[in-house]
Amino acid sequence: MTPASGSAQVRTLETLIRLRRGLHTPGTPSTPGRLTVPEGMIAPLGCDAVATPACFGPEVLPRLPRVGCVYADDAHWWWLVPSDSDYALEWPAPARYAIGAVVPDAPRLIHRPDGELPYTPPIPLYLTLCRLTGTAPSWSQVVSA
């Protein structure tokens, strides 16, 4: 296939996922809000969030090699991760993945890391949550035909 302009445009699955996610817009004041990155920090990879029940928070913190920004309300702790950290992963219940870091309420910032990046590394967070919930990581599960 040779386009008339001489340049080819390839759409990969990753491109399509990013386009679909781009359709989501931040909530209005009466609907869910977006977690914000603290002043002085940058988020070059975009931000999503992983919610865990609040009772898991103190168990998760010491198991991570690095902890990014963490927000909390009475029911959940929200961990900022780079955008698309759910790509090819099924986060174990009761964790929930929030595209664009859009959350139902306005949780407060309870942990801010040193440096400029707000991210908790997603793979250590994922593995820690799998271990706490007794869930096998998705890549180790048997796939039947």
Side-chain angles (χ1 to χ4, degrees):
M1 173 186 270
T2 309
S5 66
S7 65
Q9 188 174 30
V10 177
R11 299 225 194 279
T12 64
L13 179 58
E14 182 178 337
T15 303
L16 295 174
I17 289 170
R18 288 183 187 275
L19 287 171
R20 186 183 123 250
R21 288 184 176 176
L23 297 175
H24 297 284
T25 57
T28 60
S30 62
T31 60
R34 185 180 303 258
L35 295 176
T36 58
V37 174
E39 188 173 327
M41 299 190 94
I42 59 170
L45 303 175
C47 283
D48 288 346
V50 176
T52 62
C55 63
F56 279 24
E59 293 184 59
V60 172
L61 270 176
R63 297 177 187 214
L64 296 174
R66 180 183 190 285
V67 177
C69 290
V70 181
Y71 298 80
D73 57 29
D74 292 337
H76 298 95
W77 282 27
W78 299 89
W79 310 79
L80 282 187
V81 294
S83 292
D84 301 326
S85 292
D86 64 333
Y87 182 75
L89 288 179
E90 292 179 35
W91 288 82
R96 292 186 325 223
Y97 193 85
I99 295 169
V102 175
V103 300
D105 293 314
R108 67 193 179 289
L109 180 67
I110 62 167
H111 183 269
R112 179 190 169 136
D114 294 333
E116 295 180 325
L117 298 176
Y119 306 122
T120 295
I123 297 301
L125 178 60
Y126 174 78
L127 291 172
T128 298
L129 292 173
C130 285
R131 183 168 195 130
L132 288 174
T133 61
T135 304
S138 58
W139 58 75
S140 67
Q141 296 173 1
V142 177
V143 177
S144 60

